[in-house]
Amino acid sequence: MTTESLSDIQIAQAAEMKPISDIARNLDLNEDHWDAYGKYKAKLNLSVLDDTSRKDGKLILVTAINPTSAGEGKTTMGVGLSQALNRIGKRTVLALREPSLGPNFGLKGGAAGGGYSQVLPMEDINLHFTGDLHAITTAHNLLATLIDNHIFQGNELNIDSRQIIWKRVLDMSDRALRNITIGLGGRNHGIPREDGFDITAASEIMAILCLAEDLKDLENKLKDMLIAYTFDNQPVYVGDLKAQGAMAIVLKEAIKPNLVQTLENTPAIIHGGPFANIAHGCNSLLATRMALKLGEYAVTEAGFGVDLGAEKFIDIKCRKGELQPSAVVVVATIRALKMHGGVEREHLGEENLAALEAGFANLERHAETLRGFGLPFIVAINRFSLDTQAEVELLSKLCEDRGMPFAEADVWGQGGAGGEDLAHKLVEIVEGNAHDTFKYLYDVEDSVEDKLHRIVTEVYGGLGVKLTAQAQRQLQEMEAHGWDKLPICMAKTPLSLSDDPTQKGRPTNFHVTVREFRPSLGAGFIVALTGNVLTMPGLPKVPAALNMGLDEEGNIYGLF
Amino acid sequence: MTTESLSDIQIAQAAEMKPISDIARNLDLNEDHWDAYGKYKAKLNLSVLDDTSRKDGKLILVTAINPTSAGEGKTTMGVGLSQALNRIGKRTVLALREPSLGPNFGLKGGAAGGGYSQVLPMEDINLHFTGDLHAITTAHNLLATLIDNHIFQGNELNIDSRQIIWKRVLDMSDRALRNITIGLGGRNHGIPREDGFDITAASEIMAILCLAEDLKDLENKLKDMLIAYTFDNQPVYVGDLKAQGAMAIVLKEAIKPNLVQTLENTPAIIHGGPFANIAHGCNSLLATRMALKLGEYAVTEAGFGVDLGAEKFIDIKCRKGELQPSAVVVVATIRALKMHGGVEREHLGEENLAALEAGFANLERHAETLRGFGLPFIVAINRFSLDTQAEVELLSKLCEDRGMPFAEADVWGQGGAGGEDLAHKLVEIVEGNAHDTFKYLYDVEDSVEDKLHRIVTEVYGGLGVKLTAQAQRQLQEMEAHGWDKLPICMAKTPLSLSDDPTQKGRPTNFHVTVREFRPSLGAGFIVALTGNVLTMPGLPKVPAALNMGLDEEGNIYGLF
């Protein structure tokens, strides 16, 4: 790894972007296919997908082992790999999630890759971008407003204001809005009730946008969302309120994927960013489809590690979108493997071969999972400057011994050039693999308990699942309403294969406890919560926002 | 007036728009001057104002008599007049406010002109447009979040949570959020306190955006906003919290004016839309400056009638921006004049010459006001199909007798062609007027009570001003802090010259009571509230949103 003293934003600002019209032209898109949003961003019209003369490319999923709290550099690896594939002559398009705006003001650092593997223009992507999240915020709050207005105006649907599931959202880390009371101030100002705000990425509308086929399908999915129960405990859907049409209109531009570029001018389609816990954590289906349509290779990612990201990518997104990955890249760092081998955070910089070997078990478990899906994979060893030669050699040997293809990569420090070896080996795997062995983990028609059991035993390596009394009651209710024949969306800590974040490596002899179910009937999955999931973050003691500003020439400083 | 059966949206959808690149080229702008947002919208860079070789055009303000609750068609007249001026060979650019998104879901009808005098693309302009309002929402709520986080993290500034002036905002008509309590749920979720949401257009940030010279000036104005008081009753400003830098970054694109076009391809710069009561109600200063830079004529408008709109346009916006109107167009309808003459709403369609003559007093009062400002004006008689010939003749005679220039116009039914007579007469007035007699109503260094007295007596025609005990206390406080040397922003009913909406025509022998003062220290004016101003609207019993949707082909219906 090269030792660079430039920050992400310095590298980004020094980059020479091509006009987005050049990027689009290189993809053989004509002017009806896209609309410029400034000189370096565009919205792609869904007509891009209508060209039947183009054959779909190969889908590559980038995922990871269970990460440290700093993450394994999955997005950076995805960006770098796409650059590397283009360098070795494979026309490649990247598909990524779009970041939330709110968290930028808390901790320094954006969500658009890093070092020499970034997507640009990174300030725009991390701020308002093309307004997709604002549109989701608006559609979400429009529905909330219509619910409260319905009750205020006579409550024809008999909605029980104590049983409204639909909260409000803002794209802001605003803990003070987690639990609120609204409708105060007297008879002209609504009906008092308890409520709360989530961050926009946690909205079911975000999940729906990322699974919709087109605007009409989006409208239909919005219609199916569960929003409340009546005083007789009957479910109330968006369709009962007739709100789906206006909401879909609000989202008419947001449904279009966004085209930008990487530091090396690789086309990047960035669209949708649902939470990786209470939702499936992947960019939009439309973005992935477009990347497949426009590239020989389409590189995409899924949030968290294989146990959460890849499993949900396959069992939710691939199933709904009839996608099939050609190969999976599992990002691993020596740091994180040592952590899984029992090393404390402050000692991760020190060579520790025994810990590395012990922690390797975590990677092995994920390899077994991917073999279970019938998917070829390669381990991408994401190099850090403190990795020792002995450590790298040991990890290579461990992979070799277990028959796991691997490659070192330093795309952070070297950009695409640092990922060429990975790209070559990946292409070899993809093009050498003639057998279609891909399969989902479970059948959606299985019972919820069976589906959960397979996830826990075959992906997490646990003994089975336990339901709390609340979850059992909710399961009975879901079965009674016929909501149980949907894929499961696990909400679990990403830091462990188990539901206990302190259990590193490859835990055994554990059960996973499902505390609560939340049916996302519009998105079309059942969320199974195994712990507390915070859907509205807060700001730290010294928020990054306080160090941002404009210098005397009007140049921005302090953002990332 | 032609009788057309087409709705506004049908006319808009049938129109042939030019690519925004053509509109920009016709204005002699080069590619560094603008960024496309789709094919028919652009953001104009502030560098447009740097071209010192161009001479500023003539500024035309469109205002009105005191309106009926349906409005006098001021925006439509402004659009039509700009089209008419171009038809008669005067290169004209329009500058207008941008609409809120939220209210579209309540009552049917957008805010982009009407009939054959509309700005396009009207769906986009009425929905997210280029995201300016979303950026203001974000900047506003970022500040709110930082305030609550500051208190939660130890409250170094000693902010009294009962005395926080800064609320939150959404661009939504959501009455249930007017009065809320936040920070509930225990010690990890903030500090409980009372709060509330306003609609985004009511944010002081919107007023600031519309008065800022550039992004650095915007940051400085944000810094000066008053947000709370300490437990020792000392004022707390945004600068104390160091939030202005991050807020300005959030607004870095929103500060750029937006270029679109009218139905007849007249360039329209649409930017900023502050409330016309608790703020000054005009499009941004930057938009007006650009219209002046790019056109021989720049046509703009100000919210409500002469008493509120023109007075604040002159005493707040022109003063801050060193603008000087060349002439004023006062829109009047025969319907509204009859209403001022005492006719009830349901009889406004019937001929009533006596009522018309009595109601004419309202127009006369406004003419006196404009003469007081030293500004030439013309009355634009906005024709409706039910106006009788006898009524039109009487109104013409009344204008003639009082030496008031006038012209009939039907820009709604005929577009620019229906405003040519008005345009010719206006040009004659502007080009024939050699004397500079323009003056403000008051000196900002006058006392608040003196400034108020001049507004009430010389603009409203009242006897004077009264302050409630609360307002007196607040005035003393403002004087103690040195906040009193600012222009006054009157918040008064637009429906009457007095502060009583039922007093039509030209009321006499009245006092105006100021109930409360609110110092907008960032925007740089003192709001004087004379009645209850609702800063968060609500939805009606059957919101327009419930009739919106997508047909089977995916086409939008029900929006406007």
Side-chain angles (χ1 to χ4, degrees):
Chain A
M1 174 179 274
T2 54
T3 30
E4 284 292 343
S5 58
L6 295 177
S7 69
D8 285 358
I9 196 164
Q10 286 172 319
I11 294 170
Q13 286 176 341
E16 198 159 322
M17 284 186 279
K18 285 189 185 168
I20 201 67
S21 51
D22 289 6
I23 302 290
R25 197 176 310 114
N26 290 343
L27 291 170
D28 300 320
L29 295 174
N30 66 45
E31 295 219 338
D32 290 337
H33 284 134
W34 58 280
D35 285 306
Y37 272 63
K39 292 183 175 55
Y40 303 106
K41 307 184 292 279
K43 280 244 168 232
L44 295 171
N45 293 317
L46 303 198
S47 62
V48 167
L49 296 172
D50 295 343
D51 183 353
T52 51
S53 71
R54 298 197 195 205
K55 209 175 131 244
D56 273 358
K58 308 274 190 189
L59 181 58
I60 307 300
L61 173 67
V62 178
T63 178
I65 60 171
N66 293 95
T68 65
S69 53
E72 291 310 277
K74 211 166 50 242
T75 302
T76 303
M77 187 62 77
V79 176
L81 174 61
S82 71
Q83 296 180 148
L85 284 163
N86 272 314
R87 290 173 77 97
I88 68 166
K90 299 293 176 189
R91 173 164 153 158
T92 301
V93 179
L94 182 65
L96 291 180
R97 289 170 289 171
E98 58 186 308
S100 287
L101 187 163
N104 287 323
F105 303 112
L107 296 169
K108 210 170 151 81
Y116 287 90
S117 292
Q118 298 186 47
V119 280
L120 303 176
M122 70 96 96
E123 300 103 306
D124 287 5
I125 294 168
N126 279 299
L127 287 172
H128 309 288
F129 202 17
T130 59
D132 298 340
L133 272 90
H134 292 317
I136 292 169
T137 303
T138 303
H140 188 114
N141 293 331
L142 171 58
L143 175 56
T145 304
L146 289 169
I147 294 169
D148 279 300
N149 189 59
H150 179 89
I151 297 172
F152 176 78
Q153 302 284 0
N155 201 10
E156 208 176 308
L157 290 172
N158 198 31
I159 294 170
D160 181 354
S161 67
R162 301 160 308 180
Q163 294 193 73
I164 295 174
I165 293 162
W166 195 254
K167 300 204 286 182
R168 286 169 166 84
V169 297
L170 276 182
D171 192 3
M172 193 58 67
S173 297
D174 193 350
R175 74 166 65 71
L177 293 181
R178 286 176 192 154
N179 302 289
I180 67 176
T181 54
I182 64 170
L184 308 178
R187 61 174 290 169
N188 293 326
H189 307 296
I191 309 287
R193 68 177 183 90
E194 292 180 46
D195 196 13
F197 277 78
D198 290 333
I199 195 163
T200 302
S203 169
E204 188 178 345
I205 298 175
M206 175 63 94
I208 289 177
L209 185 95
C210 288
L211 292 168
E213 305 273 334
D214 54 35
L215 193 56
K216 188 71 197 172
D217 181 47
L218 177 82
E219 187 189 34
N220 286 331
K221 288 180 158 64
L222 293 173
K223 184 164 169 262
D224 292 339
M225 289 196 298
L226 179 67
I227 50 178
Y229 291 88
T230 65
F231 283 105
D232 314 319
N233 291 314
Q234 293 307 304
V236 181
Y237 306 97
V238 171
D240 296 326
L241 208 61
K242 301 189 178 64
Q244 68 274 8
M247 293 167 73
I249 289 173
V250 167
L251 297 165
K252 76 186 176 67
E253 299 302 313
I255 199 176
K256 299 177 185 171
N258 308 293
L259 178 66
V260 290
Q261 64 192 290
T262 74
L263 270 169
E264 298 180 12
N265 313 121
T266 291
I269 302 178
I270 301 196
H271 191 224
F275 258 32
N277 41 41
I278 63 156
H280 59 298
C282 315
N283 61 259
S284 76
L285 178 58
L286 288 167
T288 304
R289 285 214 178 126
M290 285 190 185
L292 285 167
K293 177 68 79 181
L294 300 175
E296 284 177 80
Y297 279 76
V299 174
T300 191
E301 54 150 5
F304 299 152
V306 172
D307 51 332
L308 286 165
E311 189 274 312
K312 295 197 276 192
F313 178 82
I314 291 163
D315 283 316
I316 297 175
K317 178 171 170 173
C318 288
R319 193 190 306 255
K320 293 213 177 269
E322 299 180 346
L323 300 174
Q324 177 163 347
S326 293
V328 177
V329 174
V330 185
V331 181
T333 61
I334 285 169
R335 290 172 58 86
L337 289 171
K338 286 191 287 191
M339 176 197 73
H340 283 297
V343 177
E344 296 295 323
R345 189 194 192 96
E346 58 271 29
H347 297 294
L348 287 176
E350 303 159 19
E351 181 175 283
N352 189 332
L353 297 174
L356 176 60
E357 183 153 6
F360 185 78
N362 184 270
L363 175 56
E364 260 192 299
R365 171 64 255 176
H366 294 306
E368 289 166 25
T369 297
L370 294 171
R371 286 181 179 129
F373 283 119
L375 286 173
F377 65 89
I378 181 168
V379 177
I381 304 173
N382 190 12
R383 289 296 310 273
F384 277 67
S385 51
L386 291 173
D387 301 343
T388 70
Q389 194 54 34
E391 286 175 329
V392 175
E393 279 169 16
L394 172 60
L395 178 54
S396 303
K397 185 172 178 306
L398 290 166
C399 286
E400 255 169 31
D401 288 352
R402 270 68 164 192
M404 290 158 55
F406 69 95
E408 294 176 47
D410 174 19
V411 297
W412 187 91
Q414 299 174 46
E420 282 192 31
D421 185 44
L422 172 65
H424 278 297
K425 288 179 175 163
L426 176 69
V427 167
E428 209 172 295
I429 290 168
V430 169
E431 297 183 359
N433 181 41
H435 307 293
D436 178 6
T437 52
F438 177 62
K439 58 177 190 290
Y440 304 122
L441 179 66
Y442 54 79
D443 191 314
V444 287
E445 296 297 320
D446 295 344
S447 73
V448 169
E449 276 167 310
D450 283 354
K451 287 180 275 201
L452 285 167
H453 185 81
R454 297 201 67 164
I455 293 169
V456 171
T457 56
E458 296 179 39
V459 176
Y460 306 164
L463 298 171
V465 68
K466 288 183 179 168
L467 304 187
T468 62
Q470 183 194 15
Q472 279 173 8
R473 204 171 51 243
Q474 289 170 323
L475 178 55
Q476 283 167 10
E477 200 194 314
M478 289 196 297
E479 287 170 348
H481 288 298
W483 298 337
D484 54 327
K485 304 302 183 196
L486 292 171
I488 305 291
C489 180
M490 292 299 293
K492 179 182 76 70
T493 174
L495 301 175
S496 170
L497 276 158
S498 75
D499 56 353
D500 173 359
T502 67
Q503 297 297 309
K504 300 300 178 188
R506 181 176 181 162
T508 48
N509 282 315
F510 64 91
H511 281 81
V512 166
T513 304
V514 172
R515 193 173 51 77
E516 183 187 343
F517 288 108
R518 290 188 197 164
S520 289
L521 302 180
F525 51 66
I526 298 163
V527 183
L529 292 122
T530 65
N532 282 313
V533 174
L534 207 57
T535 47
M536 173 55 97
L539 293 176
K541 188 162 175 73
V542 183
L546 305 191
N547 296 311
M548 297 177 184
L550 302 165
D551 65 21
E552 286 309 312
E553 279 80 49
N555 299 310
I556 289 172
Y557 64 81
L559 182 64
F560 319 118
Chain B
M1 175 180 274
T2 56
T3 30
E4 284 291 344
S5 58
L6 295 177
S7 69
D8 283 358
I9 195 164
Q10 286 171 319
I11 295 170
Q13 286 176 342
E16 199 159 323
M17 283 186 279
K18 286 189 184 169
I20 201 67
S21 51
D22 289 6
I23 302 290
R25 198 175 311 113
N26 290 343
L27 291 169
D28 301 319
L29 294 173
N30 66 46
E31 295 219 338
D32 290 337
H33 284 135
W34 58 279
D35 285 308
Y37 273 62
K39 291 183 176 55
Y40 304 106
K41 306 183 293 279
K43 279 240 168 236
L44 296 171
N45 293 318
L46 302 199
S47 62
V48 167
L49 296 172
D50 295 342
D51 183 351
T52 50
S53 71
R54 298 197 195 204
K55 207 174 132 243
D56 274 359
K58 307 275 189 189
L59 181 58
I60 308 299
L61 173 68
V62 179
T63 179
I65 60 170
N66 293 94
T68 66
S69 53
E72 294 307 278
K74 210 164 51 239
T75 303
T76 304
M77 187 63 76
V79 176
L81 173 62
S82 71
Q83 296 180 147
L85 283 164
N86 272 313
R87 291 174 77 98
I88 66 166
K90 299 294 175 186
R91 173 163 152 159
T92 301
V93 178
L94 182 64
L96 291 179
R97 289 171 289 172
E98 58 186 309
S100 286
L101 188 163
N104 287 322
F105 303 112
L107 296 170
K108 210 169 151 79
Y116 288 89
S117 292
Q118 297 185 48
V119 280
L120 304 175
M122 70 96 97
E123 300 104 307
D124 288 5
I125 293 169
N126 278 298
L127 287 172
H128 308 289
F129 201 20
T130 59
D132 297 340
L133 272 90
H134 292 317
I136 292 170
T137 303
T138 303
H140 187 114
N141 293 330
L142 171 58
L143 175 56
T145 304
L146 290 168
I147 294 169
D148 279 300
N149 189 60
H150 179 89
I151 297 172
F152 176 78
Q153 302 284 1
N155 200 12
E156 208 176 308
L157 290 172
N158 198 31
I159 294 169
D160 181 354
S161 67
R162 303 160 306 179
Q163 294 192 75
I164 296 174
I165 293 163
W166 195 254
K167 300 204 285 184
R168 286 167 165 84
V169 297
L170 276 182
D171 192 3
M172 193 58 67
S173 296
D174 193 349
R175 74 167 65 70
L177 293 181
R178 285 177 193 153
N179 302 289
I180 67 176
T181 54
I182 64 170
L184 308 178
R187 59 174 290 168
N188 294 325
H189 307 295
I191 308 289
R193 68 175 182 92
E194 293 179 46
D195 196 13
F197 276 78
D198 290 333
I199 195 162
T200 302
S203 169
E204 187 178 345
I205 299 175
M206 174 63 94
I208 289 176
L209 185 93
C210 289
L211 293 168
E213 304 274 333
D214 54 35
L215 192 56
K216 189 71 198 171
D217 182 46
L218 177 82
E219 186 189 35
N220 286 332
K221 287 180 158 61
L222 293 172
K223 185 165 168 261
D224 291 340
M225 289 196 299
L226 179 67
I227 51 178
Y229 291 88
T230 65
F231 284 106
D232 313 320
N233 291 314
Q234 294 307 304
V236 181
Y237 305 98
V238 172
D240 296 325
L241 208 61
K242 300 188 179 63
Q244 67 275 8
M247 294 167 72
I249 289 173
V250 167
L251 296 167
K252 76 186 176 68
E253 299 301 314
I255 198 176
K256 299 177 186 171
N258 308 293
L259 178 66
V260 290
Q261 64 192 289
T262 75
L263 271 168
E264 298 180 12
N265 312 121
T266 291
I269 302 178
I270 302 196
H271 191 225
F275 259 32
N277 40 40
I278 63 156
H280 59 298
C282 315
N283 62 258
S284 76
L285 178 58
L286 288 167
T288 305
R289 285 212 179 129
M290 285 189 185
L292 286 167
K293 177 68 80 180
L294 299 174
E296 283 176 81
Y297 279 76
V299 174
T300 192
E301 53 151 6
F304 299 151
V306 172
D307 52 333
L308 286 165
E311 189 274 313
K312 294 198 275 193
F313 179 83
I314 291 163
D315 282 316
I316 296 176
K317 179 171 169 173
C318 289
R319 194 191 306 255
K320 292 212 177 271
E322 299 180 347
L323 301 174
Q324 177 163 347
S326 293
V328 176
V329 174
V330 185
V331 181
T333 62
I334 285 169
R335 290 171 59 86
L337 289 172
K338 285 191 287 191
M339 176 196 75
H340 283 297
V343 176
E344 296 295 322
R345 190 191 190 98
E346 57 271 30
H347 296 295
L348 288 176
E350 303 158 19
E351 181 174 284
N352 189 333
L353 298 174
L356 176 59
E357 183 154 6
F360 184 80
N362 184 270
L363 174 56
E364 260 193 299
R365 169 67 254 175
H366 294 306
E368 288 166 27
T369 298
L370 294 171
R371 286 182 180 130
F373 284 119
L375 288 173
F377 65 90
I378 181 168
V379 177
I381 304 173
N382 190 12
R383 289 294 311 271
F384 277 67
S385 52
L386 292 173
D387 301 344
T388 69
Q389 194 55 33
E391 287 175 327
V392 176
E393 278 168 19
L394 172 60
L395 178 53
S396 303
K397 184 174 179 305
L398 290 167
C399 286
E400 256 170 29
D401 287 352
R402 269 69 163 193
M404 289 158 55
F406 69 96
E408 292 176 49
D410 174 19
V411 297
W412 187 90
Q414 299 174 45
E420 283 191 30
D421 185 43
L422 172 64
H424 278 296
K425 288 180 176 162
L426 176 69
V427 167
E428 208 171 297
I429 289 168
V430 168
E431 297 184 358
N433 181 40
H435 306 292
D436 178 5
T437 52
F438 177 61
K439 59 177 188 291
Y440 304 122
L441 180 65
Y442 54 79
D443 191 313
V444 288
E445 297 295 321
D446 294 344
S447 73
V448 169
E449 277 168 307
D450 283 352
K451 288 180 273 200
L452 286 166
H453 185 81
R454 296 201 67 164
I455 294 170
V456 171
T457 56
E458 297 179 39
V459 176
Y460 305 164
L463 297 172
V465 67
K466 288 181 178 169
L467 304 187
T468 62
Q470 184 194 13
Q472 278 172 6
R473 205 170 51 243
Q474 290 170 322
L475 178 54
Q476 282 167 10
E477 201 194 313
M478 289 197 297
E479 286 169 347
H481 289 298
W483 300 336
D484 55 327
K485 305 303 183 196
L486 292 171
I488 305 292
C489 180
M490 291 299 293
K492 178 182 76 71
T493 175
L495 301 176
S496 170
L497 276 158
S498 75
D499 55 355
D500 174 359
T502 65
Q503 298 297 310
K504 302 298 180 190
R506 181 176 181 160
T508 48
N509 282 316
F510 64 91
H511 282 81
V512 167
T513 304
V514 172
R515 192 174 52 79
E516 186 189 341
F517 288 108
R518 290 189 197 163
S520 289
L521 302 181
F525 51 67
I526 298 162
V527 183
L529 292 120
T530 65
N532 281 314
V533 174
L534 207 57
T535 47
M536 173 55 97
L539 293 176
K541 188 162 175 75
V542 182
L546 305 190
N547 296 311
M548 296 178 184
L550 302 165
D551 65 22
E552 285 310 313
E553 278 79 51
N555 298 311
I556 288 172
Y557 64 80
L559 184 62
F560 321 118

